[in-house]
Structure formats: C-alpha cells, structure tokens
Amino acid sequence: VTATLKKGRAAGVVFDPGGRPASGATVILSRLGNRVSSYRPGEFRVSNSEDKMNTTGADGASEIPPADGEDRLLAVHRTGFAEMSVETLGDSGKVNLQPWGRLEGVVTSGGKPLARQRVGLRTPINQSFGDGYTFQYNTTADRSGRFVFTNIPPGEHFLVRHVGSPQAGSMDSHRLPVNVGPGETRQVSYTFGGRNVVGFV
C-alpha cells in the first residue's frame, strides 16, 4: 500500500503496531492551537468545527482536507495511538501507531490500602502549545485500594486524587507524575503522606 502527501493536504495510511493497515482507525486533524479531548480511554472526539475527523477503510488509508504543516494529526485505533504534526507525516504518508499503555496501582496511606478512593489520570495542565490533545480519565479504587487505567496514550501524565464529591464539587490533590511507555503496564504505589486530623464542631 502506498500513500502520498499532496500539497496542502494531509493524506496517509495508518498502520497498527504490528505493521498491518489499521482498518477502522479514527483519524483527526486538529488545527494548531486547538486540542482534541478524551474522557473515555481509547476515544477522542473533536469539539471545534475547524477540526476534522474520518475513519480509515480496510487499507488503512485516510485523507483529510487542506492543512498547515503545524496542524496536528491524531490516529486512534483499538491497537494503539499516534500523534504528530502534518509536516512530520512527510512524503512517506505513514502513521505508525504505538500500542496503548496501562496503569495499575494501589492507593495507600500509612502503609495501609484505602478503599473507594476516587482517582484520576490526566495530561499535564501546562502542556506545550503544540500538543494536539488532552484527556481526563476517572475511576474509583476497589475495596483493596486497587485501580486500573487502560488505553493510555504513551507519555508523562499526572495521577491525581479527587477530594470532595461529584455533586458538591471536587478538586485534585496529591499529583503524582507517571510516565507510561508504549505497550507498558506501569505499576505504581499511590501513597498519601501527612497526618489524619480528627475534630468536632
């Protein structure tokens, strides 16, 4: 399968981590300064009318309307993820997916697991201007304090604890940087320090 990059147009073929054409991959063109958001692991959607999205066919091929070299191209498939500038796509027209990462951990305090803690995984707030996407995933630890995040784009992200309630509002605390490599299952011990304060009003 061959592909070309036409002047002013992003076009190419998406390949899965095994080197096969990725049929059914979602390809998103995000204009420079816009960001594509994800709130469910493995799913990205456009929210700006300037951004465009399509799906690859059986040959993994995709063609997107005219784009500047600094615009971002994202490819999302059940087997993996890719993000690059249109300029980086170059003459090869190849978009090579990296396998999703996975994060597993246990919430602890004072050496003991904490049950039912609400934790989140998200991209850093201070991402560079050129980054084309952002995500926020939330889950609740089980009775043993264990939690899992799947379908994570490779890179450095933040693990956070949600303090408060969804109804009354909550905030992030105990930010922990975590780097998840392509295809890696990262194990973390999410430990809270400090002291317990008990009182009566």
Side-chain angles (χ1 to χ4, degrees):
V1 178
T2 59
T4 58
L5 180 64
K6 300 178 182 179
K7 185 176 181 180
R9 179 177 293 272
V13 178
V14 182
F15 293 92
D16 69 19
R20 297 172 294 271
S23 174
T26 299
V27 179
I28 300 173
L29 175 68
S30 179
R31 304 297 181 181
L32 182 64
N34 295 345
R35 285 183 178 171
V36 178
S37 299
S38 174
Y39 298 98
R40 291 172 59 90
E43 296 181 12
F44 285 79
R45 293 288 183 268
V46 300
S47 58
N48 193 306
S49 60
E50 294 180 338
D51 299 335
K52 305 300 177 183
M53 180 172 64
N54 64 26
T55 303
T56 61
D59 58 356
S62 172
E63 188 167 329
I64 295 177
D68 293 332
E70 294 183 340
D71 290 340
R72 310 303 295 181
L73 195 67
L74 282 78
V76 182
H77 188 250
R78 58 180 177 79
T79 62
F81 173 87
E83 192 261 358
M84 64 181 68
S85 68
V86 171
E87 183 179 9
T88 302
L89 181 65
D91 294 332
S92 71
K94 291 184 177 180
V95 180
N96 296 310
L97 298 174
Q98 293 184 311
W100 297 107
R102 179 183 174 95
L103 181 68
E104 300 178 353
V106 179
V107 182
T108 63
S109 179
K112 298 180 180 179
L114 295 179
R116 306 302 183 190
Q117 296 296 305
R118 296 188 302 115
V119 296
L121 185 71
R122 61 170 173 77
T123 45
I125 293 176
N126 60 342
Q127 280 181 294
S128 69
F129 183 71
D131 291 336
Y133 69 94
T134 182
F135 68 77
Q136 170 77 60
Y137 304 143
N138 302 309
T139 192
T140 301
D142 66 14
R143 294 178 180 177
S144 301
R146 296 184 179 277
F147 61 89
V148 176
F149 291 101
T150 62
N151 291 65
I152 303 170
E156 184 166 305
H157 314 303
F158 273 121
L159 187 64
V160 298
R161 179 190 186 190
H162 296 311
V163 178
S165 67
Q167 296 77 20
S170 63
M171 62 179 293
D172 294 348
S173 74
H174 298 84
R175 292 191 301 174
L176 176 68
V178 291
N179 198 316
V180 182
E184 176 187 14
T185 296
R186 179 74 186 274
Q187 303 280 347
V188 296
S189 177
Y190 193 20
T191 302
F192 303 150
R195 301 177 180 177
N196 291 329
V197 178
V198 180
F200 179 77
V201 177

PDB file of all heavy atoms in Angstrom, residues 9 21 34 40 43 52 66 69 73 87 92-93 132 137 148 169 182 184 188:
ATOM      1  N   ARG A   9      -2.509  19.212   1.836  1.00  0.00           N
ATOM      2  CA  ARG A   9      -3.491  18.205   2.240  1.00  0.00           C
ATOM      3  C   ARG A   9      -2.792  17.083   3.009  1.00  0.00           C
ATOM      4  O   ARG A   9      -1.718  16.629   2.622  1.00  0.00           O
ATOM      5  CB  ARG A   9      -4.178  17.636   0.996  1.00  0.00           C
ATOM      6  CG  ARG A   9      -5.210  16.561   1.291  1.00  0.00           C
ATOM      7  CD  ARG A   9      -5.889  16.118   0.006  1.00  0.00           C
ATOM      8  NE  ARG A   9      -6.694  17.194  -0.555  1.00  0.00           N
ATOM      9  CZ  ARG A   9      -7.963  17.412  -0.218  1.00  0.00           C
ATOM     10  NH1 ARG A   9      -8.561  16.666   0.664  1.00  0.00           N
ATOM     11  NH2 ARG A   9      -8.646  18.400  -0.775  1.00  0.00           N
ATOM     12  N   PRO A  21      -2.101  -2.561   7.965  1.00  0.00           N
ATOM     13  CA  PRO A  21      -3.032  -1.436   7.819  1.00  0.00           C
ATOM     14  C   PRO A  21      -4.118  -1.501   8.890  1.00  0.00           C
ATOM     15  O   PRO A  21      -4.706  -2.557   9.124  1.00  0.00           O
ATOM     16  CB  PRO A  21      -3.602  -1.637   6.412  1.00  0.00           C
ATOM     17  CG  PRO A  21      -2.547  -2.391   5.677  1.00  0.00           C
ATOM     18  CD  PRO A  21      -1.941  -3.320   6.702  1.00  0.00           C
ATOM     19  N   ASN A  34      -5.820  24.310  18.711  1.00  0.00           N
ATOM     20  CA  ASN A  34      -6.970  23.545  19.197  1.00  0.00           C
ATOM     21  C   ASN A  34      -6.468  22.278  19.880  1.00  0.00           C
ATOM     22  O   ASN A  34      -5.352  21.824  19.644  1.00  0.00           O
ATOM     23  CB  ASN A  34      -7.906  23.163  18.051  1.00  0.00           C
ATOM     24  CG  ASN A  34      -8.546  24.377  17.413  1.00  0.00           C
ATOM     25  OD1 ASN A  34      -8.516  25.464  17.962  1.00  0.00           O
ATOM     26  ND2 ASN A  34      -9.117  24.181  16.230  1.00  0.00           N
ATOM     27  N   ARG A  40     -13.097   9.179  27.773  1.00  0.00           N
ATOM     28  CA  ARG A  40     -13.209   7.726  27.855  1.00  0.00           C
ATOM     29  C   ARG A  40     -11.958   7.143  27.214  1.00  0.00           C
ATOM     30  O   ARG A  40     -11.620   7.512  26.077  1.00  0.00           O
ATOM     31  CB  ARG A  40     -14.452   7.217  27.127  1.00  0.00           C
ATOM     32  CG  ARG A  40     -15.763   7.592  27.785  1.00  0.00           C
ATOM     33  CD  ARG A  40     -16.949   7.219  26.898  1.00  0.00           C
ATOM     34  NE  ARG A  40     -16.968   5.792  26.604  1.00  0.00           N
ATOM     35  CZ  ARG A  40     -17.594   4.884  27.353  1.00  0.00           C
ATOM     36  NH1 ARG A  40     -18.266   5.272  28.420  1.00  0.00           N
ATOM     37  NH2 ARG A  40     -17.590   3.616  27.015  1.00  0.00           N
ATOM     38  N   GLU A  43     -10.948   6.774  23.257  1.00  0.00           N
ATOM     39  CA  GLU A  43     -11.881   7.518  22.422  1.00  0.00           C
ATOM     40  C   GLU A  43     -11.535   9.008  22.436  1.00  0.00           C
ATOM     41  O   GLU A  43     -11.431   9.608  23.502  1.00  0.00           O
ATOM     42  CB  GLU A  43     -13.322   7.335  22.917  1.00  0.00           C
ATOM     43  CG  GLU A  43     -13.836   5.907  22.834  1.00  0.00           C
ATOM     44  CD  GLU A  43     -15.274   5.801  23.306  1.00  0.00           C
ATOM     45  OE1 GLU A  43     -15.926   6.868  23.481  1.00  0.00           O
ATOM     46  OE2 GLU A  43     -15.744   4.676  23.512  1.00  0.00           O
ATOM     47  N   LYS A  52     -11.301  18.212  11.902  1.00  0.00           N
ATOM     48  CA  LYS A  52     -11.971  17.239  11.045  1.00  0.00           C
ATOM     49  C   LYS A  52     -11.629  15.821  11.495  1.00  0.00           C
ATOM     50  O   LYS A  52     -10.554  15.555  12.014  1.00  0.00           O
ATOM     51  CB  LYS A  52     -11.577  17.430   9.580  1.00  0.00           C
ATOM     52  CG  LYS A  52     -11.804  18.842   9.041  1.00  0.00           C
ATOM     53  CD  LYS A  52     -13.279  19.255   9.132  1.00  0.00           C
ATOM     54  CE  LYS A  52     -13.478  20.690   8.647  1.00  0.00           C
ATOM     55  NZ  LYS A  52     -14.887  21.131   8.801  1.00  0.00           N
ATOM     56  N   PRO A  66      -7.397  20.262   3.337  1.00  0.00           N
ATOM     57  CA  PRO A  66      -6.138  21.015   3.371  1.00  0.00           C
ATOM     58  C   PRO A  66      -5.723  21.402   4.786  1.00  0.00           C
ATOM     59  O   PRO A  66      -6.544  21.796   5.608  1.00  0.00           O
ATOM     60  CB  PRO A  66      -6.458  22.248   2.522  1.00  0.00           C
ATOM     61  CG  PRO A  66      -7.480  21.769   1.557  1.00  0.00           C
ATOM     62  CD  PRO A  66      -8.328  20.785   2.315  1.00  0.00           C
ATOM     63  N   GLY A  69       1.335  22.759   7.923  1.00  0.00           N
ATOM     64  CA  GLY A  69       2.317  21.812   8.420  1.00  0.00           C
ATOM     65  C   GLY A  69       2.338  21.680   9.924  1.00  0.00           C
ATOM     66  O   GLY A  69       2.699  20.628  10.454  1.00  0.00           O
ATOM     67  N   LEU A  73      -2.061  15.835  13.732  1.00  0.00           N
ATOM     68  CA  LEU A  73      -2.779  14.675  13.219  1.00  0.00           C
ATOM     69  C   LEU A  73      -2.787  13.594  14.290  1.00  0.00           C
ATOM     70  O   LEU A  73      -1.727  13.217  14.798  1.00  0.00           O
ATOM     71  CB  LEU A  73      -2.099  14.156  11.949  1.00  0.00           C
ATOM     72  CG  LEU A  73      -2.887  13.176  11.073  1.00  0.00           C
ATOM     73  CD1 LEU A  73      -4.086  13.888  10.454  1.00  0.00           C
ATOM     74  CD2 LEU A  73      -1.994  12.613   9.977  1.00  0.00           C
ATOM     75  N   GLU A  87       3.395  18.201   9.089  1.00  0.00           N
ATOM     76  CA  GLU A  87       4.726  18.283   8.475  1.00  0.00           C
ATOM     77  C   GLU A  87       5.535  17.018   8.736  1.00  0.00           C
ATOM     78  O   GLU A  87       6.237  16.517   7.857  1.00  0.00           O
ATOM     79  CB  GLU A  87       5.468  19.498   9.011  1.00  0.00           C
ATOM     80  CG  GLU A  87       6.835  19.719   8.392  1.00  0.00           C
ATOM     81  CD  GLU A  87       7.533  20.942   8.942  1.00  0.00           C
ATOM     82  OE1 GLU A  87       7.029  21.520   9.939  1.00  0.00           O
ATOM     83  OE2 GLU A  87       8.571  21.344   8.381  1.00  0.00           O
ATOM     84  N   SER A  92       6.360  10.169   3.287  1.00  0.00           N
ATOM     85  CA  SER A  92       6.090   8.734   3.466  1.00  0.00           C
ATOM     86  C   SER A  92       4.601   8.464   3.601  1.00  0.00           C
ATOM     87  O   SER A  92       4.110   7.418   3.176  1.00  0.00           O
ATOM     88  CB  SER A  92       6.824   8.210   4.705  1.00  0.00           C
ATOM     89  OG  SER A  92       6.227   8.709   5.894  1.00  0.00           O
ATOM     90  N   GLY A  93       3.877   9.396   4.200  1.00  0.00           N
ATOM     91  CA  GLY A  93       2.439   9.204   4.390  1.00  0.00           C
ATOM     92  C   GLY A  93       2.103   8.107   5.374  1.00  0.00           C
ATOM     93  O   GLY A  93       0.959   7.665   5.443  1.00  0.00           O
ATOM     94  N   GLY A 132      -1.564  18.372  20.640  1.00  0.00           N
ATOM     95  CA  GLY A 132      -2.860  18.373  19.969  1.00  0.00           C
ATOM     96  C   GLY A 132      -3.984  17.726  20.734  1.00  0.00           C
ATOM     97  O   GLY A 132      -5.093  17.637  20.210  1.00  0.00           O
ATOM     98  N   TYR A 137      -9.284  10.960  32.707  1.00  0.00           N
ATOM     99  CA  TYR A 137      -9.950   9.688  32.987  1.00  0.00           C
ATOM    100  C   TYR A 137     -10.116   9.546  34.500  1.00  0.00           C
ATOM    101  O   TYR A 137      -9.207   9.874  35.270  1.00  0.00           O
ATOM    102  CB  TYR A 137      -9.135   8.517  32.446  1.00  0.00           C
ATOM    103  CG  TYR A 137      -8.836   8.612  30.968  1.00  0.00           C
ATOM    104  CD1 TYR A 137      -7.616   8.180  30.456  1.00  0.00           C
ATOM    105  CD2 TYR A 137      -9.772   9.134  30.070  1.00  0.00           C
ATOM    106  CE1 TYR A 137      -7.337   8.264  29.098  1.00  0.00           C
ATOM    107  CE2 TYR A 137      -9.496   9.222  28.719  1.00  0.00           C
ATOM    108  CZ  TYR A 137      -8.273   8.789  28.235  1.00  0.00           C
ATOM    109  OH  TYR A 137      -8.001   8.881  26.896  1.00  0.00           O
ATOM    110  N   VAL A 148      -7.221   0.668  37.991  1.00  0.00           N
ATOM    111  CA  VAL A 148      -6.614   0.369  36.692  1.00  0.00           C
ATOM    112  C   VAL A 148      -7.070   1.418  35.675  1.00  0.00           C
ATOM    113  O   VAL A 148      -8.248   1.794  35.642  1.00  0.00           O
ATOM    114  CB  VAL A 148      -7.016  -1.040  36.180  1.00  0.00           C
ATOM    115  CG1 VAL A 148      -6.452  -1.281  34.780  1.00  0.00           C
ATOM    116  CG2 VAL A 148      -6.534  -2.119  37.133  1.00  0.00           C
ATOM    117  N   GLY A 169     -18.910  19.187  44.085  1.00  0.00           N
ATOM    118  CA  GLY A 169     -17.682  19.712  43.502  1.00  0.00           C
ATOM    119  C   GLY A 169     -16.456  19.062  44.132  1.00  0.00           C
ATOM    120  O   GLY A 169     -16.471  18.688  45.313  1.00  0.00           O
ATOM    121  N   PRO A 182       5.007   3.002  25.531  1.00  0.00           N
ATOM    122  CA  PRO A 182       4.162   2.275  24.572  1.00  0.00           C
ATOM    123  C   PRO A 182       4.072   0.785  24.926  1.00  0.00           C
ATOM    124  O   PRO A 182       5.098   0.112  25.099  1.00  0.00           O
ATOM    125  CB  PRO A 182       4.886   2.472  23.233  1.00  0.00           C
ATOM    126  CG  PRO A 182       5.746   3.679  23.427  1.00  0.00           C
ATOM    127  CD  PRO A 182       6.149   3.668  24.866  1.00  0.00           C
ATOM    128  N   GLU A 184       3.393  -0.556  27.651  1.00  0.00           N
ATOM    129  CA  GLU A 184       3.846  -0.850  29.017  1.00  0.00           C
ATOM    130  C   GLU A 184       2.663  -0.967  29.974  1.00  0.00           C
ATOM    131  O   GLU A 184       1.673  -0.250  29.854  1.00  0.00           O
ATOM    132  CB  GLU A 184       4.770   0.254  29.517  1.00  0.00           C
ATOM    133  CG  GLU A 184       5.225   0.077  30.967  1.00  0.00           C
ATOM    134  CD  GLU A 184       6.011   1.257  31.503  1.00  0.00           C
ATOM    135  OE1 GLU A 184       5.989   2.329  30.869  1.00  0.00           O
ATOM    136  OE2 GLU A 184       6.641   1.113  32.575  1.00  0.00           O
ATOM    137  N   VAL A 188       2.191   1.269  40.005  1.00  0.00           N
ATOM    138  CA  VAL A 188       2.512   2.375  40.903  1.00  0.00           C
ATOM    139  C   VAL A 188       1.915   2.129  42.281  1.00  0.00           C
ATOM    140  O   VAL A 188       0.879   1.483  42.423  1.00  0.00           O
ATOM    141  CB  VAL A 188       1.983   3.728  40.366  1.00  0.00           C
ATOM    142  CG1 VAL A 188       2.654   4.098  39.057  1.00  0.00           C
ATOM    143  CG2 VAL A 188       0.478   3.719  40.223  1.00  0.00           C
TER     144      VAL A 188
END
